[in-house]
Amino acid sequence: MSAEPVPVAEDAGGDGLRRVARVVLLDPQDRILLLHGHEPDDPTDDWWFTPGGGVEGDETREQAALRELAEETGITEVELGPVLWKRRCSFPFAGRRWHQDEWYYLARTDRTATAATALTELERRSVVGARWWTCPELSRAHETVYPTRLAELLRTLLDEGPPAGPVTLDTEIV
């Protein structure tokens, strides 16, 4: 008995992992911006996540992070800080399994108004908004948030500042 091959994303690296850049975007009140998404055909299967997405072509992860942030939020006036966290994850979405190698960059902004400016067709069907969260709100949230330890990670970031080097998070398989 053999397992069916797992489809690999077009933007996957040689190891079959989709290279992803995400942004931990903080406002002047240290709130974090999260996007609200759901399974395209089931709005009740929903979660919150940081802006970001797959690296395209020969762009760097930094370029991908800034492009994705602009496309998903309309926010362009940011400078990326260090990579805070790295994680590998695997999850079902839109009828297939995604395998990702994600890097989370720190960024700050004074702008809190958001407007998705260039969502893909799949994103238009599955991203339903954005919200700024305080750390206490995130800690009390009953909603699903990715990465799952985000409230704890944010608290450490706010208390101690960015880590000396990227912290490798536990692999998450959903």
Side-chain angles (χ1 to χ4, degrees):
M1 179 185 268
S2 64
E4 289 187 33
V6 176
V8 174
E10 291 177 16
D11 50 3
D15 55 5
L17 291 171
R18 181 175 184 244
R19 296 180 334 136
V20 171
R22 299 204 163 282
V23 180
V24 176
L25 186 64
L26 302 178
D27 74 359
Q29 289 77 44
D30 286 335
R31 296 181 303 170
I32 186 172
L33 182 66
L34 297 180
L35 303 180
H36 190 202
H38 62 79
E39 187 64 39
D41 297 322
D42 183 5
T44 64
D45 184 3
D46 67 331
W47 55 87
W48 293 87
F49 61 101
T50 58
V55 174
E56 294 180 356
D58 62 354
E59 73 182 349
T60 65
R61 287 206 202 225
E62 293 87 354
Q63 291 167 330
L66 293 171
R67 175 185 49 75
E68 288 283 343
L69 185 64
E71 291 172 359
E72 295 174 347
T73 71
I75 297 173
T76 57
E77 303 293 321
V78 299
E79 285 189 31
L80 286 183
V83 176
L84 300 170
W85 316 306
K86 294 181 179 183
R87 94 171 169 149
R88 290 188 172 190
C89 60
S90 178
F91 54 91
F93 176 67
R96 72 181 187 111
R97 180 154 285 276
W98 299 71
H99 303 282
Q100 299 190 157
D101 177 36
E102 299 182 335
W103 291 15
Y104 289 79
Y105 290 88
L106 176 62
R108 288 195 169 268
T109 185
D110 291 330
R111 180 175 162 200
T112 56
T114 63
T117 60
L119 297 181
T120 66
E121 186 273 332
L122 180 57
E123 288 169 332
R124 284 192 298 277
R125 293 176 36 223
S126 61
V127 177
V128 291
R131 175 182 163 194
W132 292 95
W133 295 73
T134 66
C135 195
E137 287 171 337
L138 203 52
S139 295
R140 294 188 306 265
H142 295 289
E143 293 93 344
T144 301
V145 177
Y146 294 110
T148 55
R149 293 180 40 227
L150 185 58
E152 172 191 337
L153 293 165
L154 180 60
R155 176 78 280 148
T156 300
L157 173 64
L158 296 176
D159 288 347
E160 301 174 12
V167 173
T168 301
L169 306 179
D170 291 339
T171 298
E172 288 191 52
I173 301 175
V174 179

